[in-house]
Amino acid sequence: MRLSLVTLVSVLGLWLPAAQASDAGCPPVVQMPTAQQLQEARAAAKDRGAMWRLRKDGRTSYLYGTVHVGKLAWTAPGPQLQAAVAATEVIAVEIDPTAPGFMAEVQAAQAKGAKLQLTREEQARLDAEADAACLPRTALAALHPVMQAVTYVSLAGRRDGLDPAFAQEAVLLGAAQALKRPIVALESVASQLALLVPADAGEARAMLQLTLDGLKNQESRTALRRIGQAWERGDLDAMDSPAKLCDCVPTEQEVALMRRMNDDRNPGLADRIAEEHGKGKPVLAAVGTLHMTGPKALPRLLQERGFEVERVAY
C-alpha cells in the first residue's frame, strides 16, 4: 500500500455522490436504515476510535479522531462519545458540507486548480473507475479530474462494507442539527482542495496518475480497510509513521506528500480548536484520525497551547 493513497483518504471531503442501484457485480448500495437496524445498532453501540479531553480556562472540550468512511454499526455513538456530545455546546469539523453555499465553494475552489486536458488514456481510466463504482460515467463530470479520482477512492471501500454515507462526521453533523448545536468549520473548502487539486498542471497530473494507479492496483481499497480496522480498535500505533501506513519504505516524495497533507495542517487546526474553545463554550472537535499521529499530532500541539490533554479511556 503506497503512502500517498492513505494521505488522500485522510483528507477526503464529504461532497460525494449517491451510488446507483446495485447490479450484479456492484458493491452494496446504502439504504435508509430500518427502525430495527437502528435499534440493533444502538443496542450494540460501543466507543470506537480515539478521543481526548481538553481542559483549559475552567472548561472541558473534546477532540475526537474520525474516519471519512464507515459502517452502519459505527453510526451509533458509544457511551463516552454520547457523554462528550452532551457535555459540549459546539460541534467543530474540518469542513461543513451542510453550510449554505457549500457546493458553490467547492466549484470556486476547483476552478483554481490546474486545467487538465485529459488524454484519451486518462479519460478511459476514469471511465473504468466509474464502471467499477457502478456510477454513470458522467456522474462526476462537474468535479476536477483529480477530485473525480479521489471520490472513486472513497467509494472503493464499499465492497468491504465501508461507505462514505456512514462517515463519523456525517453522524456528528446529524446530531448537531437534531440538537440545534452550532457547527463550525476548522478549515475552508479552498484550503483543502488546494492540497488535492494543485494549481501546477504537472503536480495535478501526477496526483491524478498516482490516484488512478492506486485504484487499479486495489491499493486504495486496502488502505481504506486498513485505516478502518485501526480506527475501530483505536490503534494509533498502527498509523503513527509513514512506513507503518504504507507497509513499505516510503519515498522522499511520499513523505513530503504526507507532511503537506497531514502534519502541515495540524498547527492551523490546533489554532482553530483553541480559538473556538476560547470563545467560552466547550467544543467537540472531530478531525481525521491521522491528524492524531506523528510529530505534530493534534493532542501534542494542543498541549503546547496550554490545554491539559487526557485520552479518554474506553
Side-chain angles (χ1 to χ4, degrees):
M1 181 194 339
R2 302 311 301 176
L3 174 62
S4 50
L5 268 297
V6 180
T7 58
L8 285 176
V9 169
S10 75
V11 294
L12 286 175
L14 299 177
W15 49 89
L16 302 174
Q20 300 300 296
S22 183
D23 296 318
C26 289
V29 176
V30 169
Q31 304 290 339
M32 181 67 70
T34 65
Q36 181 178 349
Q37 287 176 317
L38 291 173
Q39 183 177 0
E40 291 172 351
R42 287 192 290 267
K46 65 178 183 178
D47 287 295
R48 298 175 173 88
M51 184 163 59
W52 292 259
R53 291 186 186 90
L54 310 173
R55 297 187 178 96
K56 186 179 181 181
D57 300 330
R59 291 184 300 282
T60 300
S61 289
Y62 289 84
L63 175 66
Y64 181 56
T66 64
V67 284
H68 301 313
V69 293
K71 302 177 181 181
L72 175 60
W74 297 357
T75 62
Q80 293 290 355
L81 182 55
Q82 289 185 53
V85 171
T88 52
E89 299 179 48
V90 177
I91 300 291
V93 290
E94 293 175 41
I95 54 174
D96 177 14
T98 69
F102 174 77
M103 286 308 301
E105 290 185 52
V106 171
Q107 294 299 333
Q110 286 190 116
K112 297 180 180 179
K115 306 297 187 292
L116 292 184
Q117 185 65 41
L118 295 181
T119 65
R120 184 174 300 178
E121 178 190 5
E122 289 168 338
Q123 186 60 62
R125 295 184 72 183
L126 284 172
D127 289 344
E129 294 306 329
D131 295 344
C134 296
L135 289 175
R137 292 181 175 184
T138 59
L140 304 184
L143 296 179
H144 188 282
V146 175
M147 279 307 301
Q148 292 181 42
V150 170
T151 301
Y152 292 132
V153 170
S154 74
L155 297 174
R158 290 182 299 150
R159 296 182 185 278
D160 299 304
L162 297 169
D163 198 291
F166 295 137
Q168 291 297 299
E169 291 87 352
V171 174
L172 290 172
L173 288 170
Q177 291 175 324
L179 295 169
K180 295 181 168 43
R181 296 280 177 82
I183 299 169
V184 299
L186 299 172
E187 296 182 305
S188 67
V189 173
S191 67
Q192 281 210 358
L193 282 186
L195 291 169
L196 288 172
V197 187
D200 178 82
E203 292 181 11
R205 178 157 267 113
M207 185 76 80
L208 175 62
Q209 293 290 345
L210 187 68
T211 310
L212 288 171
D213 287 346
L215 284 162
K216 180 180 178 180
N217 299 330
Q218 297 292 307
E219 292 171 343
S220 302
R221 180 177 170 183
T222 301
L224 286 172
R225 185 169 60 246
R226 185 177 179 133
I227 288 177
Q229 291 169 346
W231 175 83
E232 188 171 20
R233 299 191 307 268
D235 187 0
L236 298 178
D237 290 341
M239 300 180 281
D240 68 358
S241 73
K244 290 181 181 178
L245 282 173
C246 67
D247 193 21
C248 66
V249 178
T251 66
E252 292 183 7
Q253 180 185 17
E254 290 172 326
V255 172
L257 180 61
M258 178 66 173
R259 185 182 304 116
R260 186 168 72 251
M261 290 192 166
N262 198 72
D263 296 11
D264 290 353
R265 292 167 57 202
N266 286 354
L269 287 166
D271 287 341
R272 285 287 293 119
I273 293 170
E275 178 186 352
E276 291 300 328
H277 178 91
K279 292 179 180 179
K281 294 182 178 181
V283 178
L284 172 57
V287 180
T289 197
L290 291 185
H291 293 282
M292 314 303 167
T293 66
K296 292 185 179 179
L298 274 178
R300 180 180 302 179
L301 294 182
L302 287 164
Q303 192 170 36
E304 292 174 359
R305 284 155 176 76
F307 285 89
E308 178 186 341
V309 180
E310 174 193 15
R311 183 162 176 178
V312 176
Y314 293 163

